[in-house]
Amino acid sequence: MVIHTRFAPSPTGRLHLGHAWSAIQAHDHARQHGGRFTLRIEDIDGTRSRPEHVDAILRDLEWLGLGWDGEVTWQSRRLHLYEAALGRLRAAGLLYPCFCTRADIAASASAPHGPEGALYPGTCRGLEAPDMARPHCWRLDMARAIQIPPPGEDLCWHDAHAGRVRADPAAAGDVVLARKDAPASYHLAVTVDDAAQGITDVVRGVDLFAATHVHRLLQALLGLPTPEYRHHPLLAGPDGTRLAKRHGAPSLEAMRLAGEDGRALAERLRAGQLPVGIAATGA
């Protein structure tokens, strides 16, 4: 089997060291095994995605010395795949429209809590005559969905660091699979894309470990293969908070424009030589 990995940034801001850390690991895992490395631009968030961010992503990866195989893939050109997957789940009676806002959910005293905070309390589940003219998302009816995979199917996956993991998608509640402002959520799009592109090894941060429980269920519901997972540690700043766009992490573009050697930076990251104040953390 040919190893096939991918790096899939969203063009909603500039890349930072955390992105470089992840991209290098995905790239090198493929290259060390004589495999393929794909670049996928996850640009279906129409309100935040920007062409200038895409240009910067391409320049940053080239600056780091990371080359990808084949053409760049764009999620915005794959909407038919997500709609087909949604259609299958909808036909199976596993989706329902939800009209609630985030404020509605936050204000609900009955909202249960899972590993990532408040879960959707099921307010719109079972509506007899929903007004489909109103803005709505589509949620997975988790209680029904977890009953669908055949009893003999082993709902597990293997992680290079955690070993064999038994999926517990119910802990995520009724997740959104198509947003009000986007044709697919991260959960659905990434699951469909990884299968369609033949990704054998998903290399991504440990912050997405919990999401894999949901992705494994979607793979079972849609009859998709389950890749190997490699959830790596994250990079955190001096305050212990993981590097993130919203926290103002220094961008690769700023380093590049300042004249720093990107290939030398990549080699230091490979060797675990992190900048002062930056640390790798498992959470």
Side-chain angles (χ1 to χ4, degrees):
M1 178 182 67
V2 177
I3 297 295
H4 189 178
T5 67
R6 47 69 167 179
F7 178 56
S10 298
T12 56
R14 298 305 201 242
L15 299 187
H16 52 67
L17 276 177
H19 293 112
W21 172 259
S22 189
I24 288 168
Q25 293 187 60
H27 171 273
D28 290 2
H29 182 64
R31 296 294 181 248
Q32 289 163 5
H33 293 85
R36 291 176 53 79
F37 173 65
T38 291
L39 175 60
R40 184 169 75 221
I41 302 297
E42 300 194 338
D43 61 335
I44 56 175
D45 187 339
T47 61
R48 298 172 59 216
S49 295
R50 296 287 184 273
E52 60 268 26
H53 295 325
V54 176
D55 292 340
I57 288 170
L58 301 181
R59 293 193 185 96
D60 288 344
L61 294 179
E62 292 170 347
W63 173 69
L64 291 168
L66 305 183
W68 54 89
D69 297 300
E71 297 294 326
V72 176
T73 302
W74 304 79
Q75 278 192 337
S76 58
R77 301 174 186 175
R78 304 168 66 81
L79 303 186
H80 62 289
L81 297 177
Y82 314 140
E83 184 53 44
L86 287 167
R88 291 181 58 185
L89 297 173
R90 199 177 288 119
L94 298 179
L95 302 184
Y96 64 89
C98 174
F99 305 88
C100 296
T101 64
R102 292 183 180 179
D104 294 334
I105 298 171
S108 174
S110 62
H113 280 67
E116 296 186 347
L119 302 182
Y120 182 64
T123 307
C124 293
R125 190 191 310 119
L127 291 178
E128 293 186 2
D131 180 3
M132 302 304 291
R134 295 169 54 202
H136 60 278
C137 67
W138 287 94
R139 290 185 179 273
L140 181 68
D141 188 332
M142 187 63 74
R144 298 187 65 178
I146 59 177
Q147 302 299 319
I148 297 298
E153 180 163 352
D154 189 3
L155 207 63
C156 297
W157 81 86
H158 185 268
D159 181 83
H161 302 287
R164 185 172 182 271
V165 181
R166 180 170 295 280
D168 179 23
D174 291 359
V175 294
V176 172
L177 295 188
R179 292 164 37 188
K180 294 178 181 179
D181 59 348
S185 71
Y186 171 76
H187 290 307
L188 182 73
V190 73
T191 302
V192 170
D193 283 341
D194 285 343
Q197 294 187 278
I199 302 301
T200 64
D201 293 56
V202 173
V203 182
R204 62 188 181 191
V206 71
D207 56 321
L208 292 169
F209 189 93
T212 309
H213 292 276
V214 175
H215 302 171
R216 181 65 189 89
L217 174 62
L218 291 175
Q219 290 158 5
L221 295 174
L222 295 169
L224 304 177
T226 301
E228 174 85 3
Y229 288 91
R230 307 178 71 85
H231 289 97
H232 59 72
L234 307 176
L235 294 189
D239 61 354
T241 303
R242 74 179 181 91
L243 299 182
K245 299 173 187 176
R246 65 180 180 275
H247 295 152
S251 71
L252 298 183
E253 181 185 54
M255 299 178 193
R256 172 165 53 82
L257 295 179
E260 188 164 345
D261 187 328
R263 291 174 182 264
L265 171 63
E267 287 303 316
R268 291 196 298 273
L269 291 176
R270 288 185 175 100
Q273 299 171 5
L274 304 178
V276 174
I278 303 297
T281 175

